[in-house]
Amino acid sequence: MKILNFFLRMVYGAVGIQIGNMVLSFFGISVSVGLNFVSLLTVGTFGFSGLGLLFGIAAYGIL
């Protein structure tokens, strides 16, 4: 059951990354998170807070 939960968080995280990238680019903010194995592992492990972590790290990188 935990593995199913992990994979569902990965799928929802991938959708969240895509939506987050589209919304930020719509507003002209040049912060984007790549969709790769490491980002999916992060979102799968930490859930919604992992998604915020990825976007926070990407935003910190443009300072």
Side-chain angles (χ1 to χ4, degrees), residues 6 16-18 22 24 26 29-30 33-34 36 40 42 47 49 51:
F6 178 77
I17 288 172
Q18 291 296 325
M22 285 190 299
L24 289 174
F26 177 75
I29 301 171
S30 64
V33 174
N36 55 35
L40 289 179
T42 303
S49 59
L51 186 64

Side-chain angles (χ1 to χ4, degrees), residues 6-63:
F6 178 77
F7 284 117
L8 284 175
R9 282 194 309 240
M10 282 177 63
V11 170
Y12 291 141
V15 172
I17 288 172
Q18 291 296 325
I19 290 173
N21 286 339
M22 285 190 299
V23 167
L24 289 174
S25 69
F26 177 75
F27 287 114
I29 301 171
S30 64
V31 174
S32 63
V33 174
L35 191 60
N36 55 35
F37 184 68
V38 176
S39 63
L40 289 179
L41 279 179
T42 303
V43 174
T45 304
F46 296 118
F48 185 72
S49 59
L51 186 64
L53 175 73
L54 290 173
F55 278 104
I57 290 172
Y60 184 74
I62 65 167
L63 292 179

